[in-house]
Amino acid sequence: GAPVEVDISTLQPGEMRTVEWRGKPVWLIRRTKEQLDSLKVTNNEVADPASNRPGYTPKYAQNQWRSRKEELFVAVGICTHLGCSPSPYFKPGAQPSLPDNWEGGFLCPCHGSTFDLAGRVFKNKPAPDNLEVPPYQYLSDTKIIIG
Ligand code: FES
């Protein structure tokens, strides 16, 4: 599949957009300061906080934010368990069964894996790894290319 260019200039703080790359949904989220801060909390609650497991995280995303730039999160929106599509929940309390201190993230409807706003899977969930970060780079401050 061809690389996909995305203009991110209109993506508002807290907003999520989905684009298609190689037939897969790719999420783009401009995370707010609060959402980025929530990653410090979930650091202790996720199975692989530094994304050390090989496979789903490119080198440049092996950091707490799992991204090239802190704000913009880019991830393949497919659960690493059996391939369902997790749903975004950006409001605490939006899902009563989710962990305490959960400032938002994603819930897979199939077997209940939860992910934080860096796509890191919470401990003791069926998904074996964090959500995939696709290859991408910045063409400018307002444009990225996926693939
Ligand atoms: Fe997502 Fe099983 S496919 S938890």
Side-chain angles (χ1 to χ4, degrees):
V4 175
E5 272 185 38
V6 187
D7 179 354
I8 56 167
S9 62
T10 59
L11 195 64
Q12 299 302 312
E15 193 186 333
M16 168 170 168
R17 186 178 303 162
T18 304
V19 299
E20 193 179 306
W21 170 68
R22 293 190 177 173
K24 301 177 192 174
V26 173
W27 298 333
L28 306 162
I29 301 164
R30 191 184 292 284
R31 293 171 292 196
T32 62
K33 168 132 187 357
E34 289 73 26
Q35 289 173 329
L36 287 168
D37 283 348
S38 79
L39 300 178
K40 293 176 193 150
V41 178
T42 50
N43 237 347
N44 300 318
E45 301 171 14
V46 294
D48 183 14
S51 291
N52 288 324
R53 292 180 194 163
Y56 288 107
T57 312
K59 270 266 177 292
Y60 52 78
Q62 282 181 343
N63 52 51
Q64 182 174 349
W65 306 280
R66 300 191 73 234
S67 56
R68 284 191 183 272
K69 291 187 185 177
E70 280 181 30
E71 274 184 16
L72 185 72
F73 181 48
V74 183
V76 175
I78 295 176
C79 184
T80 52
H81 184 218
L82 295 173
C84 291
S85 219
S87 305
Y89 289 93
F90 290 170
K91 290 192 181 75
Q95 252 297 343
S97 64
L98 292 170
D100 288 346
N101 297 329
W102 201 77
E103 297 293 332
F106 309 93
L107 167 68
C108 184
C110 290
H111 315 96
S113 287
T114 44
F115 303 86
D116 72 3
L117 286 166
R120 300 180 301 181
V121 66
F122 282 84
K123 289 174 186 165
N124 305 315
K125 297 294 179 181
D129 207 336
N130 299 335
L131 297 178
E132 178 183 0
V133 174
Y136 72 94
Q137 41 189 314
Y138 281 81
L139 297 175
S140 70
D141 279 350
T142 57
K143 198 173 260 190
I144 66 165
I145 186 163
I146 303 165

